[in-house]
Amino acid sequence: MTKILGIDIGAKFVVAFSLSSLPVGMSYPDFYKRNAKVSISKIRMDNSKEGSSVNLRDAIALLEELKPDAIVMEPTGVWYSRLWAEIAEHLNIEVKWIGHGDLAHNRGAYGFKDKDDRTDAFCLAVSYFDPIFNARNSWLFWRTGAISQVNDRLLEIKSLESTTKILTQQIRQRLKYEFPEIADRAITNGRTKDGFTAWIGWLAGIHNYKRIENEYAKSIATELSIELSQYTRDHAAAIAGNEIREVRLKSDLCDRLLDQSFDRYRETLELFGFGSVMQATILTNVYPFEKFLLSGAPHVERYEDDRGKHKKNMSLSGFQISLGMGKRLIESGSSSALIYSGSSFARKMLYCWITTNVLPEKMSESWLVSELDKRALSNAKPALTVAQLRTRWKETKGTNKDRHMAGVRSAMTLGYRVTRLLYDELLKTVTS
């Protein structure tokens, strides 16, 4: 008999639900209520015990005893779920991964109104047996090997950037009182050979900077006998330390991207002008490219309804969704709208890259711009060129909300086109 564990992972607790087949003869919520008491295990993410829960070591022993055929999980928190993936690998248990959006969809389809850890564990287990879900082949690809290391470096860099952003906001507030002349100064200008911002290093007392020293001597704060506090200096030291760590991580990331398994990908990504962080963002979402294909070729679906004949490239759609540039139709009555779907992180990164590397006027002609324009003008109904989208974006910056959103849509339009072009180029290089 097949035995499956749906495992919902949290920071402190893990909830597991054991299931042997697809529930029949009653609704899923009713089946859950009747079987929850005997099918649920609550596991602490440490070696202590609390109430009816078992600890982590007991859980490993429990897995050895149950010998499930597979466990089903979300990639929650990366590090939390990775521990359980390692445990499963150690015990030779298959791991199936499901995305957050797919689990939310399944939970609603199974009739659950509320979201909690126990019902999530049950829905994870049900998904393993769900014929409709399996027909869509929506299981996630788990990153291992070189791509896992690239993903780790990327997460570490983004985590450091987030921490530095918070520290910077706090130190600027303090400097409004202690050294107002530099409170709003850019944090990335004038970095030293070690990689930290020079004036931040001066505040921390780890760098001599004559210009800032002279500015401080003339500051209104100095005139009022306001001193730089130890709190500010410690914050500056923390920012400088983060900047140095970030430089090292980015250097290591560049080395990881040179792995031979990425050679064909890197050739295409460099053609687009993507930097190392953007390359890592794309790779961690689309590698291996073959996962979007069907028997090594694009998966194209053709169907007919009351609106006529349709053809959809499912491989392209899946690729764009993985980069946050998939389009989903929302239709109700006489109104309809297309919204972007997929990885929100990849979409944000791509948006930032478009606004700094494509839309500014200083970014003139390039292979990318030429290809995008060629495609835009070859349509039966020609679309806006990059230059026209640049103009619209520039004219709407800093204006009211509606006009600003028109500028955002210009960037998103380019992002959508870039991902379509990227798909075609990778299809040529990776599958050749």
Side-chain angles (χ1 to χ4, degrees):
M1 179 182 291
T2 304
K3 190 179 295 181
I4 303 300
L5 285 181
I7 297 182
D8 186 79
I9 302 172
K12 294 184 178 180
F13 289 99
V14 169
V15 177
F17 194 103
S18 177
L19 194 66
S20 297
S21 62
L22 199 65
V24 294
M26 65 184 77
S27 70
Y28 288 156
D30 285 343
F31 180 92
Y32 167 78
K33 291 171 186 175
R34 294 188 187 186
N35 293 274
K37 187 174 182 179
V38 296
S39 298
I40 286 179
S41 299
K42 188 177 181 182
I43 304 161
R44 285 193 63 88
M45 285 290 282
D46 55 35
N47 285 326
S48 61
K49 292 189 177 182
E50 181 179 298
S52 61
S53 65
V54 298
N55 65 26
L56 196 53
R57 291 195 180 279
D58 291 339
I60 295 174
L62 180 64
L63 285 175
E64 289 178 315
E65 180 185 339
L66 288 173
K67 292 184 173 62
D69 295 276
I71 62 176
V72 184
M73 300 188 293
E74 292 178 276
T76 305
V78 180
W79 307 113
Y80 306 148
S81 53
R82 180 176 292 186
L83 173 64
W84 283 88
E86 293 288 346
I87 292 172
E89 182 180 354
H90 176 71
L91 299 175
N92 295 315
I93 300 171
E94 181 188 12
V95 179
K96 303 286 277 186
W97 299 94
I98 183 172
H100 307 303
D102 283 324
L103 177 60
H105 175 272
N106 287 358
R107 184 171 55 244
Y110 299 157
F112 291 93
K113 304 298 182 184
D114 300 322
K115 180 190 184 308
D116 61 65
D117 296 343
R118 290 167 174 78
T119 55
D120 273 358
F122 171 72
C123 291
L124 285 165
V126 172
S127 298
Y128 182 90
F129 298 99
D130 186 343
I132 297 176
F133 181 73
N134 281 277
R136 296 204 310 267
N137 193 27
S138 296
W139 298 106
L140 296 181
F141 172 81
W142 182 246
R143 307 175 185 96
T144 58
I147 194 62
S148 175
Q149 296 170 349
V150 168
N151 188 57
D152 288 351
R153 296 297 88 75
L154 181 63
L155 291 174
E156 289 160 1
I157 290 169
K158 301 312 293 182
S159 178
L160 271 181
E161 288 178 347
S162 297
T163 304
T164 302
K165 184 177 180 179
I166 294 171
L167 290 170
T168 302
Q169 290 171 342
Q170 293 172 345
I171 201 173
R172 289 194 193 284
Q173 293 171 8
R174 195 69 173 241
L175 287 172
K176 289 291 185 179
Y177 168 66
E178 297 178 4
F179 194 174
E181 290 82 359
I182 65 166
D184 296 318
R185 190 154 298 179
I187 208 76
T188 55
N189 286 349
R191 284 200 175 191
T192 67
K193 63 180 181 180
D194 293 318
F196 58 81
T197 304
W199 66 270
I200 288 290
W202 180 86
L203 282 174
I206 60 175
H207 180 63
N208 294 320
Y209 195 174
K210 194 67 177 177
R211 177 182 164 188
I212 295 294
E213 195 171 320
N214 291 336
E215 285 187 57
Y216 183 58
K218 300 174 183 177
S219 171
I220 187 68
T222 303
E223 191 176 318
L224 296 171
S225 300
I226 298 171
E227 297 182 350
L228 287 168
S229 65
Q230 190 61 45
Y231 176 90
T232 297
R233 294 190 180 280
D234 288 344
H235 254 55
I239 293 170
N242 277 2
E243 290 182 330
I244 293 171
R245 291 174 64 192
E246 185 183 327
V247 168
R248 291 172 181 167
L249 285 172
K250 286 182 176 178
S251 176
D252 186 57
L253 176 63
C254 289
D255 292 339
R256 303 284 180 186
L257 290 170
L258 293 176
D259 189 275
Q260 62 180 9
S261 58
F262 306 135
D263 284 349
R264 291 176 297 173
Y265 295 83
R266 194 172 58 253
E267 176 186 337
T268 299
L269 295 174
E270 289 175 353
L271 179 64
F272 278 69
F274 293 123
S276 58
V277 173
M278 197 63 212
Q279 285 187 33
T281 301
I282 293 171
L283 278 174
T284 53
N285 283 279
V286 309
Y287 181 89
F289 183 80
E290 289 80 4
K291 68 183 179 180
F292 301 109
L293 306 179
L294 184 63
S295 301
H299 176 202
V300 178
E301 283 191 352
R302 292 176 172 83
Y303 63 96
E304 189 173 355
D305 60 17
D306 60 319
R307 298 176 181 177
K309 295 182 179 180
H310 304 276
K311 182 175 75 171
K312 185 172 183 179
N313 188 331
M314 303 303 293
S315 297
L316 171 60
S317 178
F319 180 86
Q320 290 191 287
I321 287 172
S322 73
L323 294 176
M325 283 289 128
K327 285 189 176 181
R328 185 157 57 95
L329 175 65
I330 304 296
E331 190 174 63
S332 178
S334 59
S335 65
S336 64
L338 282 171
I339 64 171
Y340 290 101
S341 64
S343 170
S344 59
F345 174 73
R347 183 163 56 250
K348 289 174 185 175
M349 291 291 290
L350 188 60
Y351 175 81
C352 291
W353 182 81
I354 290 291
T355 57
T356 55
N357 291 271
V358 181
L359 283 172
E361 287 185 0
K362 62 180 180 180
M363 312 302 293
S364 55
E365 284 303 310
S366 65
W367 172 86
L368 176 61
V369 171
S370 176
E371 284 297 315
L372 291 174
D373 282 348
K374 188 187 302 181
R375 288 177 170 229
L377 296 173
S378 65
N379 294 332
K381 183 180 179 181
L384 295 176
T385 64
V386 172
Q388 290 170 322
L389 289 170
R390 276 177 179 161
T391 300
R392 177 182 291 183
W393 176 73
K394 182 180 178 181
E395 289 175 348
T396 55
K397 285 176 65 178
T399 56
N400 64 63
K401 184 178 179 180
D402 289 338
R403 292 200 67 207
H404 173 72
M405 287 308 298
V408 170
R409 285 193 291 273
S410 297
M412 296 297 283
T413 297
L414 277 175
Y416 182 76
R417 294 181 189 176
V418 166
T419 53
R420 288 181 69 92
L421 178 60
L422 180 60
Y423 167 83
D424 289 338
E425 292 299 319
L426 285 174
L427 183 62
K428 287 191 291 188
T429 56
V430 175
T431 61
S432 60

